[in-house]
């Protein structure tokens, strides 16, 4: 059975926390924490990709955030830039779930300026 992992942005302390257990506690404290689910994917450097990450994608140097979506004929994690929604698989060169053209460059809480280019 695969484990569902989350990380959480602490809105008060302005820090990122990662949790694989006690998820009920995060839900009970939803006013303090913003939950982001692990996509199950690794970027080209082997880092875990979570919702809310900002990634550099493709040869066009697209800066996009990772989101869960159920629109534009997509269901699952996607990449969203200023104007478009992309299927995360469009940038995938799968090698044991590693996405060789995606690189995490930040997250929406600490590096939101990276989306405003």
């Amino acid at each position: 059975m695969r484990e569902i992992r989350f990380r959480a942005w602490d809105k008060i302390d302005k820090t990122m926390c990662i949790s694989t257990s006690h998820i009920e506690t995060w839900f009970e404290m939803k006013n303090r924490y913003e939950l982001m689910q692990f996509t199950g994917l690794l970027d080209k450097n082997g880092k875990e990709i979570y919702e809310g990450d900002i990634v550099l994608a493709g040869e066009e140097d697209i800066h996009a955030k990772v989101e869960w979506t159920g629109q534009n004929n997509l269901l699952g994690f996607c990449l969203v830039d200023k104007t478009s929604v992309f299927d995360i698989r469009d940038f995938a060169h799968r090698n044991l779930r590693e996405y060789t053209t995606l690189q995490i460059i930040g997250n929406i809480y600490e590096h939101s300026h990276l989306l405003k280019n």
Side-chain angles (χ1 to χ4, degrees):
M1 177 189 272
R2 287 185 111 170
E3 178 179 59
I4 298 176
R5 291 196 308 255
F6 292 86
R7 72 177 180 193
W9 175 250
D10 186 325
K11 298 175 195 176
I12 295 171
D13 291 340
K14 306 290 186 214
T15 58
M16 198 66 74
C17 313
I18 295 183
S19 176
T20 57
S21 60
H22 308 295
I23 199 64
E24 298 83 16
T25 303
W26 295 121
F27 285 115
E28 291 168 6
M29 298 172 23
K30 65 182 177 182
N31 291 331
R32 179 171 179 163
Y33 296 100
E34 189 72 37
L35 285 179
M36 293 156 276
Q37 186 176 346
F38 174 48
T39 63
L41 305 173
L42 305 175
D43 79 349
K44 71 180 195 175
N45 298 313
K47 292 176 69 175
E48 294 181 344
I49 301 173
Y50 283 83
E51 287 179 276
D53 279 336
I54 299 171
V55 297
L56 189 59
E59 295 175 5
E60 302 85 23
D61 291 337
I62 297 168
H63 288 68
K65 65 181 173 176
V66 178
E67 285 186 4
W68 178 266
T69 188
Q71 53 182 276
N72 293 350
N73 296 322
L74 295 174
L75 178 61
F77 292 104
C78 66
L79 302 177
V80 179
D81 75 356
K82 298 182 287 192
T83 59
S84 304
V85 176
F86 304 96
D87 187 331
I88 200 168
R89 293 168 296 184
D90 290 344
F91 297 94
H93 298 296
R94 283 191 178 243
N95 180 8
L96 301 175
R97 296 182 355 227
E98 186 171 326
Y99 281 58
T100 58
T101 60
L102 295 179
Q103 179 181 1
I104 298 169
I105 57 174
N107 64 67
I108 59 173
Y109 299 99
E110 298 169 298
H111 311 99
S112 61
H113 64 281
L114 295 174
L115 290 173
K116 301 175 183 171
N117 34 338

